[in-house]
Amino acid sequence: MDRIRALLLGLPRRYKRLIQVLTDVVLVWLALWAAFVVRLGIDEMINPVRMHFWLFIAAPVVAIPLFIRFGMYRAVMRYFGNDALIAIIKAVSLSSLILAVVVYWYSNHQNVVPRSIIFNYWWLSMIMIGGLRLAMRQYFLGDWFTAAQHVPFTSRDNGLTKVAIYGAGAAGNQLVAALRMGRVMRPVAFIDDDTSISDRIISGLQVYKPKHIQRMIDATGAEEILLAIPSSNRGRRREILGFLEGYPLHVRSVPGFMDLASGRVKVDDIQEVDIADLLGRDAVPAQGELLEHCIKGQSVLVTGAGGSIGSELCRQILSLRPTTLLLFEHSEFNLYSILSELEQRIVRESLPVKLLPILGSVRNQSKLLDVMKTWHVDTVYHAAAYKHVPMVEHNIAEGVLNNVIGTLNTAQAALQSGVANFVLISTDKAVRPTNVMGSTKRLAELTLQALSRELAPVLFGDNANISRVNKTRFTMVRFGNVLGSSGSVIPLFHKQIKSGGPLTVTHPKITRYFMTIPEAAQLVIQAGSMGQGGDVFVLDMGEPVKIVELAEKMIHLSGLSVRSDKNPHGDIAIEFSGLRPGEKLYEELLIGDNVVATQHPMIMSANEDHLPWDVLKDKLTQLLAAVEADDYNRVRQLLRDTVSGYAPDGEIVDWIYQQRRLEP
């Protein structure tokens, strides 16, 4: 059977159409002959072919051209669906009506055709022609029983992973059809909250209530649950995931409608559960005027354009129709990756945006100034920074030069070239930092705060003491961790689960704020439009999440159990590795309690202390000298004196510093 199926599927298209036409001619004759049998019976019936030979010639002559006209021979049998069935109904009905007219005009009194023959011919043709196509669809799919799990004696184990679909709506039914066609997984049941369809049969699968999941597992042997509820909000998805966590099932999901409509994914692209669903917080709708204020019709520069936040900023900026989007990035690979993605989107959506990749470092102020002047940049989003806490702790000089001096260079280039808007991407680790990364990001904030209060500052490093007119509005946006960023714990946990564990968590009490990258980028753009100059905006990150609880949920939703003292036979253990250099148990978003609401419910404005520009310039001079001398004790002391609340925990762990201490 498999060889015949493969042979038929491999035939040229014209041969397949010829076979279909010849088969339909035979079916039309059979239907017409059977119509006489139904009307007259076998015993009393005179041979209809001999008595009405002209009718057996007329029937296919009328039917086949109509079948061709209605596209019945263009339909691919494996993907035969409702539209093809409707076409068959129309074609068969119309051919029967025309045949009735032919019979009326050409039959004579000696050779009368009973009127009921036409009706019988109509419904028999429908059954034969439509039924054969449905049967062939199942045959070419390779499984006669995929839509009959509820029928006794028809179930069989074909070795495929058995999955239950949570959601018996349109997305769930599309997923069932895609899985049956792909033959990678075997759908065995639906789960749905709608009590009106519980215990019903949909697409050949029984629908179970959520409270009957264990009964479903026992009856079907389901190993996974696929969430097909793309229209549900995150709060509802969080409830569902919390409920499913108690069952030994791997939980995954299908994409949302927007991803399907954009063509980025297909309905059968199964994904691991989005961690954003575990947080359960729905994004607040964006305010269009805030999104467009600094972007639409303007020239925009993004530093660190290839990073996690920078690349998402570029994606969202592109949709807001700037005239020019400049991608400034020091990593050639990252720049190439985001450039390729955005170029494809510009072509696909016919966007009138000029896209320019600029390879360079924010430590090169002359390059930055040249770029901003050449393309008359209106808005700068400064996302370039080193953000990995232990990495910066071991490489203090690079952290200071990139995060502090890089921000200073970018800000001064913006001021000199007359950039109207400058937005710094900051971090919650800048609040009472215990590490070099956080202290350098807070120092970057202080730099912008000081510059924004100077109408005509003398720039850092300008020995000529020339005052520059300041027309730039500097804004800072501070937020916590983003899901899926480089160095994020979530991809690490996924990788560790796939390899069988253990999952490594630094401390049982460690907590972090989380937000999705698209939501963070959208709020950054909106916050950057609200500042008056020197503003520090703080994003509402929701409730902090305990990392160990997040690890447990990810293990459970993978269909596995946590190995512990209480459950020594569990699948995956969680190990505590200890806090890394510079790492805090808890993160904060505010230095003080002075915070006011803004026009956006997810964005707050913080009133933070600042330093005068002349004082800060002196501190920066000393800091740069200490870095160049590799005097890291002096660097730490200067950061303590300058950054309020900086309290480093432990010894200096910079690689150069440690190596030099070992030398005689």
Side-chain angles (χ1 to χ4, degrees), residues 462-476:
D462 188 355
N463 296 324
N465 288 324
I466 299 174
S467 297
R468 309 279 181 172
V469 177
N470 187 358
K471 298 180 180 179
T472 305
R473 182 173 60 89
F474 292 102
T475 304
M476 294 135 276

Side-chain angles (χ1 to χ4, degrees), residues 522-541:
Q522 189 180 80
L523 289 172
V524 164
I525 293 172
Q526 294 176 89
S529 300
M530 293 192 295
Q532 301 300 313
D535 308 80
V536 177
F537 290 108
V538 179
L539 304 187
D540 182 355
M541 300 290 295

